[in-house]
């Protein structure tokens, strides 16, 4: 029981110290600040130096560099874009009523051919000679 009374006394003392600190900080603060009249506010605004706005130059977008993929094999130069166009043309001639949504190209220089799949479908006939 004596331990409980000692703990209660310490808590009460701590609360008293906190209250005194709050009162001291409140006493240091000024009670009410004087509000500026509208005329004074306008005058302060007019006297304030104007900031110069600096416009940043817009960052220029750099265009994608033009790229060419060339496969060199046994003395041949095979340009990937040319092979792709040949595959599109061959498919369009063989299937005029089908629209090409996707095309995958597989270049096999050792066979001297490129194979392709259109819209996820491949065939032995889907072949372009290099």
């Amino acid at each position: 029981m004596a331990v409980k009374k000692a703990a209660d006394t310490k808590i009460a003392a701590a609360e008293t110290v906190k209250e005194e600190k709050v009162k001291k900080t409140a006493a240091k603060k000024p009670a009410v600040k004087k509000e500026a009249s509208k005329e004074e506010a306008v005058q302060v605004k007019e006297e304030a130096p104007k900031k110069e706005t600096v416009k940043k130059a817009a960052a220029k977008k750099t265009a994608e560099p033009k790229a060419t993929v060339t496969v060199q094999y046994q003395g041949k130069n095979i340009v990937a874009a040319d092979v792709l166009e040949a595959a599109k043309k061959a498919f369009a001639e063989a299937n005029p009523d089908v629209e090409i949504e996707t095309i995958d190209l597989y270049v096999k220089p050792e066979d001297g051919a490129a194979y392709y799949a259109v819209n996820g479908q491949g065939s032995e006939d889907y072949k372009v000679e290099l």
Side-chain angles (χ1 to χ4, degrees):
M1 190 111 178
V3 174
K4 187 176 181 181
K5 284 185 180 182
D8 290 341
T9 306
K10 286 183 180 179
I11 292 172
E15 288 176 0
T16 305
V17 170
K18 285 182 184 177
E19 289 175 4
E20 288 177 8
K21 285 182 180 179
V22 170
K23 288 179 184 176
K24 285 181 182 178
T25 55
K28 290 180 182 178
K29 293 181 183 177
V32 178
K33 288 187 176 181
K34 180 183 172 186
E35 292 186 25
S37 66
K38 289 182 181 180
E39 292 175 4
E40 290 174 343
V42 170
Q43 186 178 14
V44 170
K45 285 182 183 178
E46 289 175 358
E47 291 175 4
K50 293 183 180 181
K51 294 181 182 177
E52 291 185 30
T53 56
V54 178
K55 292 184 180 180
K56 293 182 181 178
K60 293 182 180 180
K61 291 185 179 180
T62 56
E64 287 280 329
K66 185 177 178 181
T68 303
V69 178
T70 303
V71 178
Q72 293 182 332
Y73 183 76
Q74 294 183 349
K76 290 184 179 182
N77 287 329
I78 304 163
V79 179
D82 296 342
V83 177
L84 181 60
E85 288 304 314
K88 288 179 183 178
K89 183 178 177 181
F91 181 81
E93 288 175 359
N95 303 288
D97 56 333
V98 179
E99 181 181 342
I100 299 174
E101 293 176 14
T102 62
I103 186 166
D104 300 310
L105 187 65
Y106 305 92
V107 179
K108 290 188 71 179
E110 65 272 11
D111 292 349
Y115 302 92
Y116 57 93
V118 175
N119 301 334
Q121 299 295 316
S123 170
E124 291 179 11
D125 298 332
Y126 295 173
K127 177 180 173 180
V128 176
E129 295 294 326
L130 300 176

